[in-house]
Amino acid sequence: MTTRTNERTTEQWQAADAAHFLHPFTDFKALAGKGSRIITRADNIYLWDSEGRKVLDAMSGLWCVNVGYGQQALVDAAARQMRELPFYNAFFQTATPPAIELAELLAEVTPPQFQHVFFSGSGSEGNDTVVRMVRRYWDVLGQPQRQVVISRQNAYHGSTMAGASLGGMAGMHAQGGLPIPGIVHIGQPYWWEHGRPAGLTRDEFGLVAAGWLEAKILEVGPENVAAFIGEPVQGAGGVIIPPATYWPEIQRICDRYGVLLVSDEVICGFGRTGHWFGCETFGFRPDLMTFAKGVTSGYVPLGGVMVGDRIARVLIDEGGEFNHGYTYSGHPVACAVALANIRLIQQLGLVQHVHDDVGPYLAEGFAKLRDHPLVGDAETCGLMGALLLTQDKALGTPFPEAVEIGMVCRGHCFREGVIMRAVGDRMIIAPPLVITRAQIDEMLALIRRCLDLTLADAQRQGWLR
Ligand code: PXG
């Protein structure tokens, strides 16, 4: 196979990278001093870097390569569509076959209230569409003052102005004068942060955390609240899996005040949690669903919003022109790849594979990591998992922030050939859905080895209690 690996040396790639490429969420100067790792090819659940080192990708790229790397059906779909019709827009009363067929297939695989889709190029753009759409909905219904969208601290909804505002990342809000007006936040349903210190069981805490939504609706005034948005499981926030009581109570509160419910399924969608969509795993019925990532398994960019009947009927029957859209809304190549990807998920039975086989198998393996001296908690939902690293396992004491224990562990992962993300003191994974039991064993052995190396560092540095 010809690859780009040998076109330049690693040093040459790194020098050109440092000279010209500003990476997302990166300290530019620090990276330029250190040099990027250059990833040159991939197959199945493995990556190779420019030094020829093999790495097990336990993060599916960036939570997106659900069908794994190297799927020929997706490559063929892109090549065929590029030859036949690489681009045409959907603005001026036109459409292309792949976009129509994908809309039809999405209506089939999503929950029954979804019969319509609005396409974007990414998850961030999808969430911008959500804000425009919920405000438009209330406007058409003669309640233009219903503008406020309620979100949560430590949520991630993207990096555009609306996406970053909806998100609850303090570091993002600190740059660029965010959030924009009309977006407010409540606490996250993270038991370790709020529930455990208050002496609540997880299920008790789920109801308390959902109650924060009701309190915020009453504070803002129900007549001013357009929607509530949340990720079924917070991904970038550190795989925060809410108590089972949380989402049904959120649903009840939204219903009570007529507030629209938006599920951001950018990470949880397309099989990640063991159902097609996270809202099915947690038992709620959203009015809108944002998607991206897994819709194409990341092979090409595509995002969008599934529009539930409650909203679609108003916008279609009474809305007139909706002044919103992107050049790449319904991009034919992206839609062709998404079609091939979703059909492959169906053919391989990947949702069932996660639900019945590798999801429970990962849960079992993760539970065994609880015996490790550094691991205070180990949780999974489908093929998402998080290990909480604690200083004192018995007491669940966190490490002081200055220790940056997650970054220490991530460094070991990098060197040992497994990609995990560190979010504070949570080590998280979301491997491709095609992963096998044997590969889960391989991944867990690598993770345990990295935990051991981190423990040795902690003992040497006197970080343990
Ligand atoms: N919603 C959710 C729930 C996401 O996870 C977006 C929206 C934005 O999608 P786009 O396609 O605009 O990036 C995301 C993206 C991380 C990380 O560090 C997570 C994301 C993006 C970048 C980094 O875990 N999720």
Side-chain angles (χ1 to χ4, degrees):
M1 187 168 60
T2 55
T3 73
R4 306 207 57 186
T5 310
N6 299 322
E7 285 177 14
R8 302 190 199 184
T9 64
T10 299
E11 291 72 27
Q12 287 167 336
W13 286 122
Q14 287 173 333
D17 178 56
H20 303 293
F21 185 3
L22 300 176
H23 294 221
F25 280 89
T26 295
D27 177 333
F28 305 133
K29 193 161 142 193
L31 181 64
K34 189 170 162 221
S36 299
R37 184 174 207 173
I38 313 297
I39 303 297
T40 52
R41 67 189 178 89
D43 188 43
N44 185 240
I45 67 164
Y46 303 99
L47 304 164
W48 282 265
D49 69 13
S50 55
E51 297 292 297
R53 282 180 303 216
K54 184 179 174 184
V55 188
L56 191 158
D57 182 8
M59 280 307 300
S60 303
L62 203 49
W63 316 87
C64 51
V65 188
N66 288 13
V67 297
Y69 300 96
Q71 293 287 4
Q72 193 60 36
L74 277 64
V75 180
D76 292 343
R80 179 178 162 207
Q81 190 58 43
M82 281 202 187
R83 272 193 299 269
E84 222 166 271
L85 179 69
F87 179 76
Y88 199 71
N89 73 72
F91 274 60
F92 308 115
Q93 305 184 9
T94 58
T96 63
I100 297 168
E101 260 186 287
L102 179 59
E104 200 172 42
L105 185 56
L106 285 169
E108 187 188 310
V109 301
T110 54
Q113 69 270 31
F114 295 113
Q115 293 301 314
H116 296 86
V117 61
F118 195 101
F119 288 117
S120 68
S122 68
S124 300
E125 287 177 1
N127 282 328
D128 276 54
T129 298
V130 163
V131 174
R132 303 270 336 260
M133 201 175 262
V134 298
R135 290 179 173 175
R136 178 73 190 141
Y137 167 84
W138 288 113
D139 212 12
V140 173
L141 284 184
Q143 299 185 51
Q145 80 292 347
R146 278 223 192 220
Q147 293 267 311
V148 176
V149 180
I150 302 177
S151 181
R152 302 176 299 176
Q153 287 151 15
N154 198 37
Y156 190 80
H157 296 295
S159 213
T160 51
M161 293 295 277
S165 296
L166 291 171
M169 300 286 177
M172 294 177 79
H173 291 176
Q175 297 177 351
L178 302 179
I180 57 173
I183 294 175
V184 297
H185 298 82
I186 59 173
Q188 60 174 337
Y190 185 26
W191 180 76
W192 279 90
E193 184 184 41
H194 300 288
R196 191 172 184 274
L200 299 171
T201 66
R202 286 180 200 253
D203 280 350
E204 285 165 354
F205 169 64
L207 297 177
V208 169
W212 297 334
L213 174 61
E214 186 156 27
K216 185 59 87 177
I217 290 172
L218 294 172
E219 178 194 322
V220 173
E223 69 284 3
N224 298 317
V225 179
F228 172 74
I229 184 170
E231 305 152 77
V233 175
Q234 289 153 259
V239 181
I240 310 292
I241 304 167
T245 49
Y246 181 75
W247 277 111
E249 181 65 6
I250 290 283
Q251 173 84 63
R252 192 192 65 75
I253 293 165
C254 287
D255 288 349
R256 175 158 187 207
Y257 297 98
V259 168
L260 295 167
L261 179 52
V262 186
S263 185
D264 184 337
E265 299 270 356
V266 168
I267 283 178
C268 292
F270 301 96
R272 172 65 56 199
T273 67
H275 289 90
W276 274 92
F277 293 91
C279 58
E280 297 166 306
T281 299
F282 288 93
F284 65 102
R285 194 175 172 282
D287 298 298
L288 292 171
M289 259 183 3
T290 320
F291 62 87
K293 296 189 189 274
V295 68
T296 58
S297 285
Y299 279 49
V300 292
L302 179 70
V305 181
M306 294 306 300
V307 183
D309 290 336
R310 173 178 172 193
I311 296 176
R313 288 277 50 98
V314 169
L315 294 185
I316 294 167
D317 296 341
E318 306 166 45
E321 182 168 335
F322 181 41
N323 298 318
H324 176 75
Y326 310 104
T327 300
Y328 299 133
S329 289
H331 191 290
V333 176
C335 292
V337 172
L339 277 167
N341 175 63
I342 295 171
R343 286 177 183 143
L344 189 62
I345 292 174
Q346 289 175 323
Q347 276 160 25
L348 298 177
L350 286 182
V351 181
Q352 219 53 35
H353 176 65
V354 174
H355 187 271
D356 296 346
D357 189 5
V358 287
Y361 192 71
L362 176 69
E364 228 174 88
F366 246 50
K368 287 185 194 140
L369 291 173
R370 288 212 174 109
D371 70 7
H372 194 278
L374 281 184
V375 175
D377 198 8
E379 298 176 273
T380 67
C381 175
L383 280 188
M384 306 169 91
L387 300 171
L388 175 68
L389 306 186
T390 47
Q391 190 179 39
D392 183 316
K393 194 183 166 64
L395 298 174
T397 320
F399 281 94
E401 261 177 51
V403 167
E404 297 203 326
I405 194 76
M407 298 309 277
V408 174
C409 186
R410 195 188 71 166
H412 287 300
C413 293
F414 214 76
R415 288 183 289 273
E416 295 300 313
V418 58
I419 292 185
M420 281 183 106
R421 283 249 293 103
V423 180
D425 43 15
R426 291 173 78 77
M427 296 303 300
I428 64 179
I429 58 161
L433 310 190
V434 291
I435 197 168
T436 63
R437 286 179 175 229
Q439 288 172 328
I440 288 179
D441 291 342
E442 180 192 348
M443 176 178 75
L444 291 173
L446 282 164
I447 291 173
R448 187 175 280 277
R449 180 166 165 68
C450 297
L451 289 170
D452 288 343
L453 291 165
T454 308
L455 177 64
D457 288 341
Q459 283 163 338
R460 211 174 307 123
Q461 306 280 350
W463 291 333
L464 291 173
R465 288 250 176 108

